[in-house]
Amino acid sequence: MPLIVSVTVETTGTMLLGSEIGAALTALEPLGIDMIGLNCATGPAEMSEHLRYLARHSRIPLSCMPNAGLPVLGKDGAHYP
């Protein structure tokens, strides 16, 4: 069974605990995972730098699941512009 790992990078450019995407790749790739990627914490524009890093440094396939951008909170709740 393939093991796919998806990482969340916040709009700050780091993961929740403050680590950068390079740290995730360094920690996860030696574990024998089959694919590494980014998930939908941000939109495509915010993910591009981190995905570019993975494309340059990863020896395994990549995945990317962006959302429709970052939502805007309005009086009727969150919506995507």
Side-chain angles (χ1 to χ4, degrees):
M1 180 176 303
L3 179 58
I4 301 170
V5 176
S6 186
V7 177
T8 299
V9 178
E10 303 290 334
T11 56
T12 59
T14 62
M15 293 176 283
L16 190 57
L17 296 176
S19 303
E20 296 180 355
I21 192 65
L25 182 62
T26 299
L28 295 168
E29 200 172 44
L31 298 178
I33 62 174
D34 297 298
M35 184 179 289
I36 187 168
L38 301 172
N39 60 35
C40 63
T42 61
E46 296 83 7
M47 298 172 93
S48 63
E49 176 186 342
H50 312 295
L51 190 59
R52 195 173 297 115
Y53 179 91
L54 290 175
R56 288 183 184 141
H57 296 93
S58 179
R59 296 182 304 248
I60 55 178
L62 305 179
S63 68
C64 183
M65 297 186 310
N67 64 22
L70 297 175
V72 174
L73 187 55
K75 64 180 178 128
D76 296 324
H79 73 280
Y80 291 93

